[in-house]
Amino acid sequence: MDLPTQYRPAEVEGRLYERWVQAGLFTADPARDPSRPPFCIVIPPPNVTGSLHVGHALDHSIQDALIRRRRMQGYETLWLPGTDHAGIATQNVVERELAKEGLSRHDLGREAFVERVWRWKAESGGKILGQMRRLGDSVDWTREAFTMDEQRARAVRTIFKRLFDDGLIYRAERIINWCPRCLTALSDIEVEHAEREGELVSIRYGDGDTEIVVATTRAETMLGDTAVAVHPDDERYRHLIGKEVELPLTGRRIPIVADEHVDPSFGTGAVKVTPAHDPNDFEIGRRHSLPSITIMDERGVITAQGPFEGLDRFEARPAVVAALREQGRIVKEVRPYTHSVGHCQRCSTVVEPRVSLQWFVKVAPLAKAAGDAVRDGRVKIHPPEMAARYFEWVDNMHDWCISRQLWWGHRIPVWYGPNGETVCPGPDEEPPAGWTQDTDVLDTWFSSALWPFSTLGWPDRTPDLERFYPTSVLVTGYDILFFWVARMMMFGLYAMDGVEPFKVIALHGMVRDQYGKKMSKSFGNVVDPLEWIDRYGADATRFTLLRGANPGGDVPVAEEWAQGSRNFCNKLWNATRFALMNGAHVRGDLPAEGLSSADRWILSRLQKVIAEVDEHLEGFEFAKACETLYHFAWDEVCDWYVELSKVQLGDERAEVTRRVLGEVLDKLLRMLHPLIPFVTEELWTSLTGEETVVTAPWPAADERWIDKEAEAELESLQRLVTEVRRFRSDQGLKPGQKVAAALRFGDSPLAAHEQGIRSLLRLTVPGEGFAPTASLPVEGVTVELDTAGAIDVAAERKRLEKDLAAARKEVEQTRRKLDNADFLAKAPEAVVAKNRARLAQAEADIARLESLLAALPKA
RNA sequence: GGGCGCAUAGCUCAGUGGUAGAGCACUCGCCUUACAAGCGAGGGGUCGCAAGUUCGAUCCUUGCUGCGCCCA
């Protein structure tokens, strides 16, 4: 086997991935061996316009780790990929393309435009799917789905019809969030609130006895006011309730009404009421049967007759204020005034609340069921603390506005007759001839909410659906727990007769930079996972993300950390390279005889690591699993076992050592495979001669190999070696410099390791005329060294004094405890014994150190 | 305003009612025949502040301060 000294991921990743896909290793078969338990994850479908960002990379690394481990454990696994059609985003992309040709979608007409979007999708959409291959995602490409493909369209038609017939979908005139740029309704969750600097203007309405001052951040909407509201208990205004005031600039007279929802402490305690342009005012208007006057068109341009007609809403605001000021009606102006403003998630335009006719899902019964599934424990949220957020959302959900005034999307399957009749045909039914279909399309989330079962073939009772529903776990960021996850829960429970769409919801956090800052383009701290894959490899990218992934927690990453992960992969590469160069193998059972205590130690440690890693991965503790494996591989296997094996490989223990080395690397690489699939595949197949590690059995801990004695012995050896290295370092002896030394073991079991110790410490056997200049007693062994010259007494004294100070502090601390009668009486026996042992050890250390100091020549 | 969470090494984070940990960064020394993407050694923390419970608190309780997130 001829491996280069450095691992070059670019040379193996593409080749291995292709081989995996060609071999069908990721393809699920519901008919294969029914005794295998199913394990299924549906991918949170990325936006078809999107490309792989570091958040996806984290999400996918976690899912791939879960699915690959289950595959090795013998589950029938399915990780189902796909994309969503992203109504607004995709339409925007194609409209921008058209704009370059000087066209709008209206120039093409609806049918041609939609065709054009499909063409765009075929040519440029779904870039992310190719990028997922580079990450190593072991998804089943034969089942790739799209929220607008034929099967998913059937699912949408089917569930819409059922909800419609059950009275859970209705059409009504309501105030909704409207984007004046995208020209569509938005649901609550598509609106992002952000602090903005605006103004708070106080305006005097009415005159003389019936005047009242209202404060507003949106002066222009006063043109559509139809009332002023005060709190019923507010003494300041009680005498005005029921009276009318003149609305400035318009000459209209509007009533003063009493409403409990008015906050008397805000502003003047009196609020203007504009039912057509504010959701709270809309409610007040309904309670008091107020008229609703729309003063803007769908683009936010003032339509109210008068001098402001034709002005944009943001031009109208100062114009209205100026006109009021001229009339002496401005009482107070606070500027800047910071307040929360809703923006369109897709284009950042300030959202305009607008009264319009829209379709809604009546969520109350669905949300109740979605909450109960978690309350009853049928669906587990991990980590459990996150459940609070989930309940907060599902228990307070507003009806969901599902209609969008777009062309790209599932068109609402409702047709209108010539006399205003309405019909909702099923997926296999035709609407009556000549009737016209509703022009709106459905919110993208409506089809995404069907994802866990539409991708498995619903509404048909397919073998996939039978075998894999409910899915095993949903992996996603806590940021979309409510809007996407809650919706899948609602629709899954509804469509699948009360069976939940997934058993576990595993949440992770956001990827952040090394200072814990959110990544943002404007801040310039965004990591492109594809660049990391190019520079450090997919494995290093994945390991960096997984290493930071604590359940529900944010994941900080940095370039240096990716380098560290790359280094780790390289370390594995070189450890395996060493093993192969020395004939390591996995043939036959581990020998029961002839194992050194080093062999028994590493095998014992291996079992514990297997058990720990298993526990961590079961609990979605990826950071801990990574930490355990990293530490074992680097600090135990490479730093100690491989070094000790060098001696064993040179004597009669060579054959046994080859088998043990092979054993340790075999299991280690298998455990690492779900986390870093490429390098482990390359190394494991070389080591074992097997076809692939993808379907190799997941290691199981074997308690028979646990060996406490060997562990204690090796720990003792490590302390001995470290102590002598410390002396060498203090004395300025170069690491490679050979030093003659005599080792006096007495009755220490470390005698068996003499050659190993000499090798680790570069100590040669003393020859004629050996004259030691230093003697180190440690771990019951005396090491006498000939440092070939006078030793650095000052350095040695410094070292010994430091150790002595630490030992004295230890004595002081433990003695204080042991002198305390309460401690002796109340502390558990084990704790007392432990402290007694510590005291004895520290006292022995003091004696040893003092005698060493006394023996040092005077400076 | 309501709810939740967090304060531990220079940075990012683990952690436990009984001797403070990791990675990276830092200092010193090394091309030691798997690996300089490496090896060896080392420095660095009154565990946010104050009080309480306890034989014992970084950990439990309360208050304070600072920070973050979600919702309105």
Side-chain angles (χ1 to χ4, degrees):
Chain A
M1 190 68 209
D2 194 29
L3 295 171
T5 63
Q6 284 189 341
Y7 172 52
R8 305 205 184 282
E11 289 168 19
V12 304
E13 290 178 353
R15 165 169 57 83
L16 294 182
Y17 194 84
E18 275 317 302
R19 201 166 79 199
W20 291 334
V21 173
Q22 293 290 312
L25 297 175
F26 307 153
T27 308
D29 179 359
R32 171 167 51 195
D33 188 359
S35 70
R36 292 158 68 119
F39 186 83
C40 176
I41 300 178
V42 291
I43 212 159
N47 186 317
V48 70
T49 64
S51 55
L52 189 87
H53 60 61
V54 72
H56 295 124
L58 169 66
D59 192 53
H60 292 202
S61 297
I62 291 173
Q63 291 173 63
D64 201 33
L66 294 172
I67 208 95
R68 282 182 185 267
R69 173 160 168 270
R70 291 293 187 225
R71 191 177 289 120
M72 293 172 78
Q73 287 176 320
Y75 286 69
E76 184 62 40
T77 50
L78 170 58
W79 186 15
L80 209 152
T83 48
D84 83 37
H85 64 273
I88 298 180
T90 310
Q91 180 160 320
N92 284 352
V93 166
V94 178
E95 284 191 296
R96 270 200 299 275
E97 221 175 61
L98 284 177
K100 282 185 205 149
E101 303 163 27
L103 295 170
S104 81
R105 70 182 146 114
H106 300 281
D107 295 326
L108 272 68
R110 183 163 189 152
E111 208 173 310
F113 178 76
V114 169
E115 199 144 307
R116 172 92 185 220
V117 181
W118 277 109
R119 207 163 73 224
W120 173 88
K121 193 236 169 203
E123 286 163 8
S124 327
K127 210 184 302 170
I128 191 169
L129 297 167
Q131 296 166 334
M132 284 163 56
R133 296 167 195 260
R134 298 213 46 211
L135 237 204
D137 287 1
S138 63
V139 296
D140 183 348
W141 291 111
T142 67
R143 286 174 166 80
E144 183 189 326
F146 178 55
T147 51
M148 285 266 284
D149 63 25
E150 204 175 321
Q151 188 62 35
R152 266 44 70 178
R154 270 182 68 75
V156 166
R157 288 287 297 270
T158 305
I159 197 159
F160 190 99
K161 166 87 175 149
R162 278 181 58 179
L163 288 163
F164 185 86
D165 290 349
D166 282 350
L168 293 172
I169 283 183
Y170 64 94
R171 194 184 195 206
E173 186 157 83
R174 291 287 156 78
I175 191 157
I176 44 85
N177 303 295
W178 179 266
C179 176
R181 200 213 63 86
C182 299
L183 300 178
T184 180
L186 304 172
S187 68
D188 292 348
I189 57 180
E190 290 165 304
V191 177
E192 283 178 353
H193 292 270
E195 296 283 304
R196 285 297 131 91
E197 285 192 353
E199 57 187 15
L200 185 67
V201 181
S202 300
I203 311 168
R204 181 169 50 83
Y205 285 9
D207 285 293
D209 290 346
T210 53
E211 68 174 39
I212 193 162
V213 176
V214 299
T216 180
T217 57
R218 304 197 55 200
E220 75 283 7
T221 62
M222 59 85 59
L223 300 171
D225 283 2
T226 55
V228 170
V230 298
H231 194 277
D233 300 334
D234 194 332
E235 293 298 336
R236 294 172 293 179
Y237 302 117
R238 186 164 283 180
H239 64 288
L240 293 174
I241 294 170
K243 298 206 167 151
E244 290 192 338
V245 287
E246 186 182 313
L247 182 64
L249 307 181
T250 66
R252 278 192 286 116
R253 295 189 66 79
I254 56 175
I256 296 171
V257 300
D259 194 285
E260 303 239 325
H261 286 75
V262 176
D263 176 3
S265 65
F266 176 78
T268 58
V271 297
K272 58 193 278 307
V273 181
T274 324
H277 294 283
D278 182 282
N280 293 321
D281 294 3
F282 182 80
E283 293 303 319
I284 295 176
R286 294 223 306 189
R287 284 194 287 273
H288 300 276
S289 306
L290 299 171
S292 174
I293 301 176
T294 297
I295 59 151
M296 280 178 223
D297 67 10
E298 71 274 10
R299 294 176 189 273
V301 173
I302 303 294
T303 53
Q305 290 190 350
F308 308 105
E309 190 176 348
L311 289 181
D312 176 79
R313 54 191 171 147
F314 296 111
E315 297 165 359
R317 189 172 302 164
V320 166
V321 172
L324 289 167
R325 194 183 293 119
E326 209 161 292
Q327 294 188 7
R329 289 191 171 274
I330 301 296
V331 177
K332 192 176 164 192
E333 294 175 76
V334 180
R335 211 176 273 117
Y337 177 78
T338 305
H339 61 128
S340 180
V341 180
H343 296 75
C344 173
Q345 199 181 40
R346 286 286 162 218
C347 72
S348 296
T349 300
V350 173
V351 163
E352 187 61 45
R354 181 175 174 81
V355 173
S356 64
L357 191 59
Q358 302 286 347
W359 289 92
F360 295 87
V361 171
K362 189 169 164 185
V363 297
L366 301 170
K368 169 78 168 54
D372 287 346
V374 175
R375 267 184 285 270
D376 298 349
R378 282 176 289 146
V379 176
K380 300 248 186 300
I381 291 183
H382 188 88
E385 309 90 81
M386 289 283 180
R389 276 193 184 200
Y390 175 79
F391 291 131
E392 190 188 326
W393 177 258
V394 293
D395 294 342
N396 299 297
M397 206 184 296
H398 295 143
D399 279 358
W400 170 16
C401 177
I402 52 170
S403 43
R404 296 289 180 275
Q405 288 65 52
L406 304 172
W407 286 353
W408 175 241
H410 294 284
R411 196 154 164 186
I412 293 193
V414 170
W415 278 258
Y416 304 106
N419 303 311
E421 309 97 315
T422 299
V423 65
C424 175
D428 301 315
E429 297 165 356
E430 288 295 320
W435 287 31
T436 55
Q437 187 173 7
D438 194 291
T439 53
D440 288 351
V441 301
L442 288 163
D443 179 10
T444 306
W445 294 105
F446 189 94
S447 40
S448 299
L450 312 178
W451 193 249
F453 47 100
S454 68
T455 51
L456 295 173
W458 188 89
D460 304 319
R461 304 286 332 172
T462 60
D464 276 2
L465 194 66
E466 297 289 344
R467 186 98 165 97
F468 295 112
Y469 191 93
T471 66
S472 309
V473 51
L474 180 88
V475 180
T476 191
Y478 60 70
D479 55 328
I480 56 172
L481 173 61
F482 18 92
F483 55 91
W484 182 49
V485 177
R487 278 158 204 222
M488 284 190 289
M489 287 282 280
M490 292 197 300
F491 278 9
L493 291 163
Y494 177 78
M496 298 297 293
D497 303 317
V499 181
E500 62 282 357
F502 22 74
K503 294 177 199 139
V504 177
I505 300 167
L507 299 165
H508 58 252
M510 314 284 97
V511 180
R512 292 169 179 273
D513 73 10
Q514 61 193 306
Y515 305 109
K517 277 214 163 57
K518 217 172 193 169
M519 289 190 176
S520 76
K521 277 181 196 152
S522 54
F523 201 75
N525 61 347
V526 175
V527 164
D528 179 353
L530 296 165
E531 281 180 19
W532 277 16
I533 292 172
D534 286 339
R535 283 207 281 278
Y536 308 117
D539 291 327
T541 304
R542 295 165 59 120
F543 198 74
T544 304
L545 293 164
L546 290 170
R547 210 180 179 187
N550 289 115
D554 287 340
V555 180
V557 298
E559 184 98 18
E560 295 88 326
W561 305 353
Q563 283 167 13
S565 300
R566 185 259 325 251
N567 297 354
F568 177 57
C569 293
N570 196 50
K571 191 72 177 173
L572 294 169
W573 178 267
N574 276 295
T576 308
R577 196 165 74 93
F578 167 84
L580 290 171
M581 290 190 313
N582 287 281
H585 65 86
V586 295
R587 292 184 298 277
D589 291 335
L590 279 171
E593 302 294 317
L595 293 166
S596 71
S597 52
D599 297 329
R600 285 183 282 114
W601 162 72
I602 200 68
L603 290 170
S604 180
R605 287 290 306 135
L606 176 65
Q607 312 312 317
K608 289 190 177 171
V609 167
I610 292 172
E612 263 177 59
V613 168
D614 251 339
E615 196 185 319
H616 292 150
L617 291 178
E618 285 296 324
F620 304 99
E621 300 271 10
F622 298 99
K624 285 183 182 152
C626 287
E627 162 69 20
T628 299
L629 287 163
Y630 183 95
H631 176 257
F632 177 67
W634 203 313
D635 301 339
E636 298 191 296
V637 174
C638 291
D639 286 353
W640 294 97
Y641 185 71
V642 166
E643 292 305 323
L644 289 168
S645 77
K646 287 175 183 173
V647 172
Q648 298 187 182
L649 287 164
D651 59 32
E652 73 286 353
R653 295 172 296 184
E655 188 44 39
V656 170
T657 305
R658 289 186 190 111
R659 182 65 188 81
V660 174
L661 255 181
E663 176 74 10
V664 171
L665 288 171
D666 166 27
K667 299 274 168 71
L668 175 62
L669 291 169
R670 278 196 260 164
M671 282 189 282
L672 282 164
H673 178 254
L675 311 170
I676 46 175
F678 293 107
V679 70
T680 49
E681 172 78 334
E682 186 73 356
L683 294 175
W684 191 82
T685 51
S686 296
L687 178 72
T688 62
E690 301 278 341
E691 201 60 35
T692 179
V693 71
V694 171
T695 48
W698 180 253
D702 184 344
E703 288 192 3
R704 287 171 304 176
W705 288 105
I706 302 281
D707 189 331
K708 291 221 164 82
E709 223 169 279
E711 288 191 29
E713 194 174 310
L714 265 288
E715 280 164 24
S716 176
L717 180 143
Q718 290 176 357
R719 282 193 298 270
L720 167 73
V721 170
T722 302
E723 187 60 29
V724 178
R725 279 175 176 165
R726 209 152 73 125
F727 173 82
R728 288 187 57 129
S729 184
D730 286 346
Q731 291 300 317
L733 293 165
K734 312 267 187 247
Q737 188 178 330
K738 302 271 200 289
V739 175
L743 301 174
R744 313 212 180 283
F745 288 100
D747 55 1
S748 166
L750 294 182
H753 297 281
E754 173 159 0
Q755 280 184 287
I757 290 168
R758 285 187 178 281
S759 159
L760 287 163
L761 289 168
R762 320 264 157 206
L763 301 179
T764 55
V765 178
E768 292 293 313
F770 174 64
T773 50
S775 174
L776 305 174
V778 52
E779 292 294 310
V781 179
T782 303
V783 182
E784 296 180 335
L785 304 101
D786 177 0
T787 57
I791 68 157
D792 183 342
V793 177
E796 190 57 8
R797 185 180 298 280
K798 196 174 155 198
R799 156 72 48 206
L800 293 171
E801 277 170 352
K802 188 187 155 147
D803 288 355
L804 186 59
R808 282 183 173 144
K809 194 177 163 197
E810 178 83 353
V811 166
E812 193 194 328
Q813 281 178 345
T814 47
R815 189 171 280 154
R816 198 188 306 143
K817 282 191 181 183
L818 292 165
D819 285 348
N820 182 337
D822 281 335
F823 175 73
L824 295 175
K826 294 180 180 170
E829 190 48 47
V831 174
V832 176
K834 204 168 165 187
N835 276 277
R836 288 214 168 93
R838 279 175 57 193
L839 179 60
Q841 178 64 53
E843 282 174 336
D845 286 344
I846 288 176
R848 178 176 57 88
L849 293 164
E850 281 177 339
S851 84
L852 284 171
L853 272 168
L856 281 182
K858 297 286 175 240

